[in-house]
Amino acid sequence: MTRTESASAGWTGRWRNQYGSMLTITDEAGGRLRGSFRTALEDSAFAGSEVEVTGIHVGACAHFAFARTDPDAIASFTGLLREGRLEAMWHVVTDRAVKPPRPGAPAEPFTLPWPHAVLTNADTFTRCLETPPSPVA
């Protein structure tokens, strides 16, 4: 797929990553991205909530971010649309985690030290093909 083909495909729609997390882009007007994100990962700082997404796009390049409180966390994704896939690098910064303080102890919230407050990785999102509604008889 060429740059023109990637860019002309647009960003609006639902995208699923390799873990089942869902990115929904509802608006891409004026080079801006708007929508929502819901993680499929139970150990994520974003587990259990759907968060608002805001971002920008230029051609086949896109950047979007989202945040939440309790725990305070911010995620930032930057990627490239290639062959129908959004290949993205991400960074998450979070203030607290809920983990056992020692083996066998119950999980409890604690403030993360700086070296453990930042995660970086990569995800691949593929566009979800929407099933057209059945005709009403």
Side-chain angles (χ1 to χ4, degrees):
M1 183 178 293
T2 67
R3 180 187 180 280
T4 304
E5 290 170 324
S6 294
S8 67
W11 295 100
T12 304
R14 294 179 36 172
W15 300 78
R16 177 179 287 118
N17 74 8
Q18 69 272 26
Y19 301 108
S21 298
M22 294 298 300
L23 168 66
T24 303
I25 299 175
T26 56
D27 186 12
E28 61 182 286
R32 305 267 184 214
L33 296 173
R34 290 177 187 79
S36 63
F37 181 84
R38 178 176 287 279
T39 186
L41 303 177
E42 293 180 15
D43 62 348
S44 167
F46 297 94
S49 64
E50 187 164 349
V51 291
E52 181 181 351
V53 167
T54 186
I56 57 175
H57 67 93
V58 176
C61 300
H63 172 79
F64 59 92
F66 47 87
R68 74 170 290 177
T69 58
D70 198 23
D72 296 343
I74 295 176
S76 175
F77 287 70
T78 302
L80 190 60
L81 186 59
R82 285 290 186 259
E83 298 177 5
R85 294 186 311 268
L86 171 57
E87 304 285 354
M89 291 294 299
W90 56 259
H91 303 284
V92 171
V93 177
T94 186
D95 183 49
R96 290 184 297 129
V98 178
K99 295 182 180 179
R102 60 192 171 284
E108 58 186 59
F110 66 97
T111 300
L112 291 166
W114 170 242
H116 300 280
V118 179
L119 299 171
T120 299
N121 210 326
D123 280 350
T124 299
F125 289 86
T126 55
R127 189 184 299 271
C128 298
L129 299 176
E130 303 295 332
T131 306
S134 301
V136 178

